[in-house]
Amino acid sequence: MASNSDSNVTNRDAFRQAVVNTLERRLFYVPSFKIYGGVAGLYDYGPPGCAVKANVLAFWRQHFVLEENMLEVDCPCVTPEIVLKASGHVDKFTDLMVKDGKTGACYRADHLLKDFCKEKLEKKDVSITADKAAELKHVLAVLDDLSADELGEKIKEYAIVAPDTKNPLSDPYPFNLMFQTSIGPSGLSPGFMRPETAQGIFVNFKDLYYYNGNKLPFAAAQIGMAFRNEISPRQGLLRVREFTLAEIEHFVDPEDKSHPKFPEVSNLEFLMFPREKQVSGQPAEKTCLGEAVSKGIVNNETLGYFIGRVYLFLTYLGIDKDRLRFRQHLGNEMAHYAADCWDAEIECSYGWIECVGIADRSAYDLRAHTDKSGVPLVAHEKFAEPREVEKLVIVPVKKDLGLAFKGDQRMVCEALEAMSEKEAMEMKADLESKGKVEFHVCTLAKTVTIRKSMVTIAKEIKKEHQRVFTPSVIEPSFGIGRIIYCLYEHSFYTRPSKTGDEQLNVFRFPQIVAPIKCTVFPLVQNQEYEEVAKHIAHMLTAAGISYKIDITGTSIGKRYARTDELGVPFAVTVDSTSSVTIRERDSKVQIRVNVEEVASVVKEVTEGQSTWNDMLSKYNAPQVPDDE
Amino acid sequence: MASNSDSNVTNRDAFRQAVVNTLERRLFYVPSFKIYGGVAGLYDYGPPGCAVKANVLAFWRQHFVLEENMLEVDCPCVTPEIVLKASGHVDKFTDLMVKDGKTGACYRADHLLKDFCKEKLEKKDVSITADKAAELKHVLAVLDDLSADELGEKIKEYAIVAPDTKNPLSDPYPFNLMFQTSIGPSGLSPGFMRPETAQGIFVNFKDLYYYNGNKLPFAAAQIGMAFRNEISPRQGLLRVREFTLAEIEHFVDPEDKSHPKFPEVSNLEFLMFPREKQVSGQPAEKTCLGEAVSKGIVNNETLGYFIGRVYLFLTYLGIDKDRLRFRQHLGNEMAHYAADCWDAEIECSYGWIECVGIADRSAYDLRAHTDKSGVPLVAHEKFAEPREVEKLVIVPVKKDLGLAFKGDQRMVCEALEAMSEKEAMEMKADLESKGKVEFHVCTLAKTVTIRKSMVTIAKEIKKEHQRVFTPSVIEPSFGIGRIIYCLYEHSFYTRPSKTGDEQLNVFRFPQIVAPIKCTVFPLVQNQEYEEVAKHIAHMLTAAGISYKIDITGTSIGKRYARTDELGVPFAVTVDSTSSVTIRERDSKVQIRVNVEEVASVVKEVTEGQSTWNDMLSKYNAPQVPDDE
């Protein structure tokens, strides 16, 4: 078993190395600022990577924004402190860090503990008892829940030292992951580079709601850069300091989370990994989305609808559906306000990676900005007929409260007014039966005695013409770089060269993703063929098809190999002045087409009006040619 | 004259107010973080603005990247200090600032001086003599060239005070416009948010050159965010702290700046404003681009080619060609290394605004990064046959120089080696005739005596197999937000409503720019029409056409007005279940089309396969209907 798992790890590492080498060599991406030694966690996308990203984003816009009539916005990255105070990022967007006591080098505390436990367990250290092994496994399981103190204790207990120097480590302390800066010249307005794009949508809720004709539900969307000053970035494109997010905030009436288009996705079946399966140690299982919603495994239809749409989006891009699962957050992973949360996780050589989060965040975000800004971010539902509503009315008697509590009067008043209906009705009953009641005031951190004269509590019937409420937010949030990296791994394969003495790399990108749609090669270097190649290139440009022309004298086989490595679906080889061949990347099958038809054939197939098989039957495909 | 110019200003302000009000009300853009009071110089693009931006960028990619086969890259915004040290931004990317002596409020020194001079001149202050007026005009003319000391003296001389408080001002001092931050948790790696995207391309030159098969010329392009911490942003979208740049770096052999596609643009005629016309007070003039290049007004063909392509790009977007000019930089505006530089300036209510800069930056940027990084960013030209080249060889005799100059020896050596061919040959002649020569060493700031024994100077014939050189860079750089704002002004007009009692706003966006391609209105609220509207909407989605559906009971005239204000080119009105009308925005003319044909008609016209006139003749257009 151990050797099997070891060899899996080796295979995985070798596979990853092959993919990453190809990606970096062909400039899909490279470490940024390489000539200056690079900066951890920052990457440049070169021409093919840039084109893949543009294609993925264009498809995202088509699949989500256009199909759902979403309101797209584009907000700044530089964000003033108050916005991120309200959202909680200034106080809570931290990782726990330890420092090398001598060099000052910084590490993520949980990473060091995780690495320590994994190494002990994987190496099957003979000194480890079964009890110890169980303990280490437990530490790994609860790692994300450990407090700074608990992490510090474990690090001391296991005598974990700085990995590079073996020096002792500091106690863990929180490090805020936002890049801080200062807005304007005074130095008095702190700002941050946004860690997500969502806040830009929330603060615009009022305008967007109005733009939508004051109607719910509606969704706003944003594609943009986000920034996280990671303590020690690793795992290549998966954990970076600057990345593209595509986020949707779907605003919905909390009392009606049905979705009219849910039937369009309810029959989909895919791997789902709900909470109870994780807790009870069962594997993820192929599940029908409609059933998951009707059984209450997924909290509501709208959340379910987006899970289905995300599944369609990812698989259409070329993500392998057998290495894609939707994992529900455990109770301890989820913020207290969240109603439900599912991650689309994609399996790659690094394991299962969270690539899309789909959360029902309830009314948390809009309430937080309402509280901080004083601007009510609410929706209205006008009633056709005024409705009679029973309303709780709590009226503190300020005079009596003032006499009894002096300076604390305001706090007591506010606490009384903030009582829930249940609390208030209990107090009313107690006051009526006993004349006084003990009441805990959180903001004063003490219990006071409330007498009957100090407050009136009643239920009154009121006529209401509308309902005012804070909408719930359902948020699908896409890490575009992570999706693209997983797509690279899922699209990569190797096949032997014709001579069999080397392995050739291929990316089997779908047409929609491929960075370039076709290449144009004159078979041999001569002016006639080059003229034809240029003529074809001209027609491709006019048709809006991206292409690359390769007029080097390299053998045609080598040129095919080069273009396969970029995932280019079609190669046009000019071997006469009247007709040329078009070769498909994965099958290597060729068809012969008149020069004047090349652009329209490539356009039809890459834009999806026809399939390659249609073209095979239309053009009576010959065999794979000799020269490959 | 004065009242005429005053009324021009008033008209301009009123026009701008009408445009900006419409833009903000319809969420083309709004100040960011409004619910928290906003942040100067930061704006959000709402749904129509976001769509316009996406359309402009998509066309930019088509017109430049795809048509010219450019290598697009995507580099991070967070940039380490060393890169911006090399580029000069850390030391020189500053504006001169003054502070209110009491409140600490900050102002741009040149803005205060400019405002002061303009106000005095415009108000025709009676106390101003003709001499004084001439002086103020001179100050305005040389404003950009004033040093900190000169600006400070003028501010003192004119007794300029803080505009908000009338407090005295500090002396001007440079403020760096880059947002500073810190990369990683140590606090030891300063970084900046990039002030332009170009550096990301320069540092990748080596990889990109290789990607291009080690061939020149080629161009790399990048679209991305850039950041400038403006001291006091004003002029709305024109001077902001975060903005989208689209930049091209075209690398070319400095000895051959011809361009094979120049003939395609050489017949274009447009307003050009070369240096000598500006200096001699003549106006910009319609000029043939080919002549401007052949007469040497524009430095070279490649620069001319890009000027032509920029002209085509802007006018195709809808920029009015009569309010577009290409202005050449004056000698004092241009960096010392630049060979030539032209700005595409667009006239709007703020005056002539620089929207695209097209500069021949020679080898400056690549050399700067070569020097700083030690990595040679150079190109190679392999000779078919080895060439004999006469080379200057300067060999300092270190022993004799050491005896004569001791610790200064190294400086003297370096100065000798750095001599130009002309200097060296003069020294050789002098040494041979006189035996010694006086030689100024800049780095020592003194003149030393060089004797014949101290250096040998010779010309030698060497065989060379290739030429190694630093390419020149021609850089078209587009301020996307500025272009879009000018486009808004150029597209905006008003026309009376049917009743004549109000002015209605219209944006006459070309199809390619329009944020939404069509709207769908059921004429009256009934289920039958709504079903048809939804069916049409469904077909539009399938055809990839963006639309908005408006099923409110508002009058059809009001709904047309709403959609005109968003610049939507076509409105589909459902007034039967079999056929519907399609109305064109600017002419208000309608055609009647079968329900099933709507999507294809709108697609054909918006994507340019047919014109509206084609449709008018095909569908036999009726008159403008009564209800408008």
Side-chain angles (χ1 to χ4, degrees):
Chain A
M1 280 288 281
S3 79
N4 193 350
S5 134
D6 277 0
S7 86
N8 276 347
V9 170
T10 316
N11 285 346
R12 243 169 32 195
D13 287 352
F15 174 77
R16 182 194 307 150
Q17 215 46 59
V19 180
V20 168
N21 282 350
T22 309
L23 291 170
E24 293 204 16
R25 189 163 40 76
R26 301 310 301 271
L27 295 200
F28 280 86
Y29 73 89
V30 289
S32 299
F33 314 115
K34 251 195 326 190
I35 63 171
Y36 292 104
V39 175
L42 294 179
Y43 293 90
D44 295 339
Y45 286 16
C50 209
V52 166
K53 182 179 161 189
N55 292 340
V56 168
L57 291 179
F59 179 57
W60 192 88
R61 270 207 179 91
Q62 168 68 34
H63 186 79
F64 291 105
V65 179
L66 194 66
E67 287 238 6
E68 314 282 346
N69 249 309
M70 291 176 181
L71 308 183
E72 192 176 347
V73 301
D74 187 3
C75 307
C77 301
V78 175
T79 305
E81 186 179 40
I82 191 168
V83 174
L84 296 159
K85 264 276 188 199
S87 68
H89 286 92
V90 171
D91 296 322
K92 292 181 193 156
F93 193 62
T94 55
D95 275 342
L96 291 167
M97 177 161 92
V98 288
K99 271 198 178 181
D100 182 315
K102 288 181 186 160
T103 67
C106 303
Y107 303 94
R108 259 182 73 166
D110 58 341
H111 280 179
L112 294 189
L113 183 56
K114 189 181 186 176
D115 291 349
F116 174 87
C117 295
K118 277 197 158 176
E119 209 188 318
K120 286 278 172 195
L121 286 168
E122 276 174 11
K123 290 253 167 94
K124 297 253 169 216
D125 198 321
V126 281
S127 66
I128 286 187
T129 61
D131 278 2
K132 190 73 182 173
E135 181 195 314
L136 293 174
K137 277 181 189 162
H138 176 72
V139 170
L140 284 175
V142 299
L143 197 65
D144 291 342
D145 291 330
L146 295 183
S147 68
D149 287 348
E150 288 164 340
L151 263 175
E153 275 162 31
K154 282 288 163 203
I155 286 173
K156 283 220 179 77
E157 184 188 332
Y158 297 154
I160 299 174
V161 292
D164 302 322
T165 62
K166 311 297 168 204
N167 289 332
L169 293 166
S170 74
D171 286 332
Y173 60 96
F175 172 74
N176 194 297
L177 296 179
M178 291 193 293
F179 284 99
Q180 187 166 5
T181 189
S182 184
I183 305 175
S186 70
L188 302 174
S189 306
F192 298 91
M193 303 312 296
R194 63 179 175 192
E196 56 174 37
T197 70
Q199 303 307 322
I201 297 178
F202 297 138
V203 300
N204 278 312
F205 172 78
K206 220 180 141 183
D207 280 348
L208 293 169
Y209 179 57
Y210 174 77
Y211 188 85
N212 200 52
N214 291 330
K215 282 203 173 60
L216 283 186
F218 74 90
Q222 180 166 200
I223 297 172
M225 301 310 296
F227 302 81
R228 296 187 188 178
N229 197 9
E230 296 287 349
I231 294 170
S232 48
R234 42 190 199 177
Q235 301 191 320
L237 286 193
L238 296 183
R239 189 165 295 279
V240 293
R241 286 179 165 149
E242 186 174 334
F243 48 97
T244 301
L245 279 183
E247 295 194 298
I248 296 165
E249 309 298 328
H250 182 90
F251 298 101
V252 62
D253 185 338
E255 292 179 8
D256 178 11
K257 294 183 179 174
S258 65
H259 197 291
K261 287 164 82 180
F262 184 68
E264 291 178 20
V265 296
S266 64
N267 288 328
L268 290 174
E269 284 192 1
F270 44 77
L271 285 177
M272 296 190 83
F273 200 16
R275 203 171 289 147
E276 70 257 31
K277 282 205 194 289
Q278 298 169 53
V279 172
S280 63
Q282 295 171 72
E285 200 177 31
K286 215 168 173 189
T287 310
C288 167
L289 181 56
E291 272 176 39
V293 170
S294 64
K295 285 183 182 162
I297 299 170
V298 171
N299 183 282
N300 59 72
E301 263 191 10
T302 300
L303 194 63
Y305 179 70
F306 280 111
I307 289 174
R309 292 291 293 168
V310 168
Y311 172 81
L312 293 173
F313 173 74
L314 293 173
T315 50
Y316 197 76
L317 281 182
I319 293 295
D320 177 1
K321 65 181 169 43
D322 296 328
R323 284 182 281 169
L324 167 62
R325 72 180 183 195
F326 288 81
R327 190 182 70 79
Q328 190 173 30
H329 277 205
L330 297 175
N332 60 12
E333 281 179 277
M334 224 161 46
H336 63 93
Y337 50 79
D340 195 4
C341 186
W342 293 76
D343 286 341
E345 293 185 333
I346 304 176
E347 194 183 25
C348 73
S349 65
Y350 291 105
W352 285 96
I353 301 298
E354 173 201 343
C355 289
V356 187
I358 308 149
D360 183 335
R361 299 175 55 81
S362 76
Y364 177 77
D365 307 279
L366 292 181
R367 283 221 181 102
H369 286 295
T370 298
D371 289 350
K372 192 84 178 176
S373 69
V375 176
L377 303 178
V378 292
H380 303 259
E381 185 199 1
K382 284 222 168 60
F383 300 141
E385 297 284 316
R387 289 188 197 168
E388 295 199 333
V389 181
E390 199 183 49
K391 280 225 133 183
L392 176 70
V393 180
I394 301 171
V395 184
V397 180
K398 293 204 176 157
K399 197 182 130 203
D400 287 39
L401 287 166
L403 285 170
F405 303 117
K406 313 257 158 33
D408 290 345
Q409 182 230 11
R410 196 175 56 86
M411 299 292 205
V412 177
C413 271
E414 285 176 3
L416 286 170
E417 286 168 344
M419 281 189 293
S420 70
E421 182 162 331
K422 184 162 167 280
E423 288 168 327
M425 294 322 288
E426 279 171 13
M427 179 180 280
K428 184 181 165 75
D430 285 351
L431 287 177
E432 272 161 20
S433 60
K434 303 177 210 154
K436 65 175 187 179
V437 64
E438 295 300 288
F439 178 58
H440 186 76
V441 182
C442 289
T443 47
L444 294 172
K446 67 180 178 189
T447 299
V448 299
T449 305
I450 301 291
R451 293 175 187 285
K452 205 176 170 185
S453 63
M454 294 175 182
V455 62
T456 64
I457 298 169
K459 280 199 174 171
E460 291 178 10
I461 304 291
K462 291 203 164 183
K463 268 204 177 172
E464 290 201 337
H465 297 265
Q466 63 174 4
R467 199 179 125 229
V468 179
F469 60 96
T470 305
S472 278
V473 168
I474 292 175
E475 177 189 85
S477 171
F478 298 71
I480 297 298
R482 289 184 168 195
I483 294 171
I484 289 175
Y485 178 77
C486 292
L487 190 56
Y488 289 150
E489 282 205 4
H490 287 202
S491 304
F492 184 81
Y493 66 99
T494 57
R495 58 186 175 199
S497 64
K498 200 190 160 205
T499 53
D501 53 359
E502 58 175 331
Q503 287 292 310
L504 302 176
N505 306 315
V506 188
F507 283 108
R508 66 164 86 77
F509 297 130
Q511 328 279 11
I512 202 177
V513 170
I516 299 167
K517 305 310 176 196
C518 80
T519 33
V520 183
F521 305 135
L523 182 62
V524 291
Q525 277 184 308
N526 76 36
Q527 214 191 330
E528 254 188 333
Y529 288 2
E530 274 180 31
E531 288 302 320
V532 174
K534 279 180 189 162
H535 177 56
I536 291 172
H538 192 78
M539 289 188 289
L540 288 168
T541 299
I545 302 290
S546 58
Y547 66 90
K548 199 174 164 152
I549 192 164
D550 183 347
I551 54 170
T552 57
T554 318
S555 80
I556 193 72
K558 281 224 173 98
R559 281 186 283 172
Y560 283 144
R562 271 188 206 161
T563 186
D564 293 343
E565 207 173 49
L566 284 177
V568 181
F570 301 106
V572 176
T573 301
V574 179
D575 55 1
S576 92
T577 55
S578 56
S579 75
V580 299
T581 64
I582 303 181
R583 165 194 180 267
E584 195 274 334
R585 175 193 61 210
D586 297 298
S587 65
K588 300 196 271 183
V589 170
Q590 305 189 358
I591 57 174
R592 181 161 290 281
V593 171
N594 280 335
V595 167
E596 301 301 324
E597 288 175 74
V598 171
S600 67
V601 168
V602 175
K603 191 180 171 74
E604 265 186 53
V605 181
T606 52
E607 294 186 352
Q609 293 99 316
S610 306
T611 65
W612 177 245
N613 275 335
D614 296 339
M615 293 302 169
L616 285 183
S617 41
K618 183 169 173 190
Y619 289 97
N620 200 9
Q623 294 303 302
V624 178
D626 283 345
D627 53 17
E628 205 174 346
Chain B
M1 279 289 281
S3 79
N4 192 350
S5 133
D6 278 359
S7 87
N8 276 346
V9 171
T10 317
N11 286 345
R12 242 171 31 195
D13 288 351
F15 173 76
R16 182 195 305 152
Q17 215 45 62
V19 180
V20 168
N21 283 349
T22 309
L23 291 170
E24 293 205 14
R25 189 164 39 76
R26 301 310 303 272
L27 296 200
F28 279 85
Y29 72 89
V30 289
S32 299
F33 314 115
K34 252 195 326 189
I35 63 169
Y36 292 103
V39 175
L42 294 180
Y43 293 90
D44 294 339
Y45 286 13
C50 208
V52 166
K53 183 180 161 188
N55 293 341
V56 168
L57 291 179
F59 179 56
W60 193 89
R61 270 208 179 92
Q62 168 69 33
H63 187 78
F64 292 105
V65 179
L66 195 66
E67 287 237 6
E68 312 284 345
N69 249 310
M70 291 177 180
L71 307 184
E72 192 177 347
V73 300
D74 186 2
C75 307
C77 301
V78 174
T79 305
E81 185 178 41
I82 191 168
V83 173
L84 296 158
K85 263 277 186 197
S87 68
H89 286 92
V90 171
D91 296 323
K92 290 179 192 156
F93 193 62
T94 56
D95 274 342
L96 291 167
M97 176 161 91
V98 289
K99 273 198 177 181
D100 182 315
K102 287 179 187 163
T103 68
C106 304
Y107 303 94
R108 259 182 74 166
D110 58 342
H111 281 178
L112 295 189
L113 183 56
K114 188 181 188 180
D115 292 348
F116 174 87
C117 295
K118 277 198 159 176
E119 209 186 319
K120 286 277 171 197
L121 286 166
E122 276 174 11
K123 289 253 167 96
K124 296 253 168 217
D125 198 322
V126 280
S127 66
I128 287 188
T129 61
D131 279 4
K132 189 75 186 174
E135 181 194 317
L136 293 174
K137 277 181 188 161
H138 176 72
V139 170
L140 284 175
V142 299
L143 197 65
D144 291 342
D145 290 331
L146 295 183
S147 68
D149 287 347
E150 288 164 339
L151 262 175
E153 275 163 31
K154 282 288 163 203
I155 286 173
K156 282 220 179 74
E157 184 187 334
Y158 296 154
I160 298 175
V161 291
D164 301 322
T165 62
K166 312 298 169 204
N167 289 332
L169 293 166
S170 74
D171 285 335
Y173 60 97
F175 171 74
N176 194 299
L177 297 179
M178 292 193 293
F179 283 99
Q180 188 168 1
T181 190
S182 184
I183 305 176
S186 70
L188 302 173
S189 306
F192 299 90
M193 302 311 297
R194 62 179 176 192
E196 57 172 38
T197 70
Q199 303 307 323
I201 297 178
F202 297 137
V203 299
N204 278 311
F205 172 78
K206 219 179 143 183
D207 280 347
L208 293 169
Y209 179 58
Y210 175 77
Y211 188 85
N212 199 53
N214 291 331
K215 283 203 172 59
L216 283 188
F218 74 91
Q222 181 166 200
I223 297 172
M225 302 310 296
F227 302 81
R228 295 186 189 180
N229 197 8
E230 296 286 350
I231 294 170
S232 48
R234 42 190 200 176
Q235 300 191 321
L237 286 192
L238 296 183
R239 190 165 293 280
V240 292
R241 286 177 164 150
E242 185 173 334
F243 48 96
T244 301
L245 280 183
E247 296 193 297
I248 296 165
E249 309 298 328
H250 181 90
F251 298 101
V252 62
D253 186 336
E255 293 179 8
D256 178 12
K257 294 183 180 173
S258 66
H259 197 291
K261 287 165 81 180
F262 184 68
E264 292 179 20
V265 297
S266 63
N267 288 327
L268 291 174
E269 283 192 1
F270 44 77
L271 285 177
M272 297 190 83
F273 200 16
R275 204 170 289 148
E276 71 257 31
K277 282 205 193 289
Q278 297 169 54
V279 172
S280 62
Q282 295 171 72
E285 200 177 31
K286 217 170 169 186
T287 311
C288 167
L289 182 57
E291 272 176 38
V293 170
S294 64
K295 284 181 181 163
I297 298 170
V298 171
N299 182 281
N300 58 71
E301 263 191 10
T302 299
L303 194 63
Y305 179 70
F306 279 110
I307 289 174
R309 292 290 294 169
V310 168
Y311 172 81
L312 292 174
F313 173 74
L314 293 173
T315 51
Y316 196 75
L317 282 183
I319 293 295
D320 176 2
K321 65 183 171 40
D322 296 327
R323 285 183 279 169
L324 167 62
R325 71 181 183 195
F326 288 81
R327 190 182 71 79
Q328 190 173 32
H329 277 205
L330 297 174
N332 61 13
E333 281 179 279
M334 226 163 45
H336 62 93
Y337 50 77
D340 195 3
C341 186
W342 292 76
D343 286 342
E345 293 185 333
I346 304 176
E347 194 184 24
C348 72
S349 66
Y350 292 104
W352 286 95
I353 302 298
E354 173 202 344
C355 290
V356 187
I358 308 149
D360 182 335
R361 299 175 55 82
S362 76
Y364 176 77
D365 307 280
L366 292 181
R367 282 219 182 104
H369 286 295
T370 299
D371 289 351
K372 193 83 179 177
S373 69
V375 177
L377 303 179
V378 293
H380 304 259
E381 186 199 2
K382 286 225 165 59
F383 299 141
E385 296 283 316
R387 289 188 196 168
E388 295 199 332
V389 181
E390 198 183 50
K391 283 225 134 186
L392 176 70
V393 180
I394 301 172
V395 183
V397 180
K398 293 203 175 153
K399 197 181 131 203
D400 287 39
L401 287 166
L403 285 170
F405 303 118
K406 311 258 159 33
D408 291 344
Q409 183 230 12
R410 195 175 57 86
M411 299 291 204
V412 178
C413 270
E414 285 175 3
L416 287 169
E417 286 167 344
M419 283 190 293
S420 71
E421 180 161 336
K422 184 162 168 282
E423 289 167 328
M425 295 322 288
E426 280 172 13
M427 180 181 278
K428 183 182 166 76
D430 284 353
L431 287 177
E432 272 161 19
S433 61
K434 302 177 207 155
K436 64 175 184 176
V437 64
E438 295 300 288
F439 179 58
H440 185 75
V441 182
C442 287
T443 48
L444 294 173
K446 67 180 181 190
T447 299
V448 299
T449 305
I450 300 292
R451 295 177 186 284
K452 205 176 169 184
S453 63
M454 294 176 183
V455 63
T456 63
I457 297 169
K459 280 200 172 172
E460 291 179 10
I461 302 291
K462 291 204 166 184
K463 269 205 177 173
E464 290 200 338
H465 297 265
Q466 63 174 5
R467 202 179 122 229
V468 178
F469 60 96
T470 304
S472 278
V473 168
I474 293 178
E475 176 188 85
S477 171
F478 299 69
I480 297 297
R482 289 184 167 196
I483 293 171
I484 289 175
Y485 178 76
C486 292
L487 189 56
Y488 289 150
E489 282 205 6
H490 288 201
S491 304
F492 185 81
Y493 67 100
T494 58
R495 59 186 175 199
S497 65
K498 199 191 161 208
T499 54
D501 53 358
E502 58 173 332
Q503 288 291 311
L504 302 175
N505 306 316
V506 189
F507 283 108
R508 68 164 84 76
F509 298 130
Q511 328 279 11
I512 202 176
V513 170
I516 298 168
K517 304 310 176 197
C518 80
T519 34
V520 183
F521 305 135
L523 181 62
V524 292
Q525 278 185 308
N526 76 36
Q527 214 193 328
E528 253 188 333
Y529 289 1
E530 275 180 30
E531 287 302 320
V532 174
K534 279 181 189 161
H535 178 55
I536 292 172
H538 191 77
M539 288 188 291
L540 288 167
T541 300
I545 302 290
S546 58
Y547 67 92
K548 198 175 165 152
I549 192 164
D550 184 347
I551 54 168
T552 58
T554 318
S555 80
I556 194 72
K558 281 222 172 100
R559 281 186 281 173
Y560 283 144
R562 271 189 206 159
T563 185
D564 293 343
E565 208 173 50
L566 284 177
V568 182
F570 301 106
V572 176
T573 301
V574 179
D575 55 0
S576 92
T577 53
S578 55
S579 75
V580 299
T581 63
I582 303 180
R583 165 193 180 266
E584 196 273 335
R585 176 193 61 210
D586 297 297
S587 64
K588 299 196 272 183
V589 170
Q590 305 188 359
I591 57 175
R592 181 161 291 279
V593 171
N594 281 333
V595 167
E596 300 302 324
E597 288 175 71
V598 171
S600 66
V601 168
V602 175
K603 191 180 171 75
E604 264 186 51
V605 180
T606 52
E607 294 185 354
Q609 292 99 317
S610 307
T611 66
W612 178 245
N613 276 334
D614 295 341
M615 293 303 169
L616 286 182
S617 41
K618 183 168 174 192
Y619 290 96
N620 199 9
Q623 295 301 303
V624 179
D626 283 344
D627 53 17
E628 203 172 351

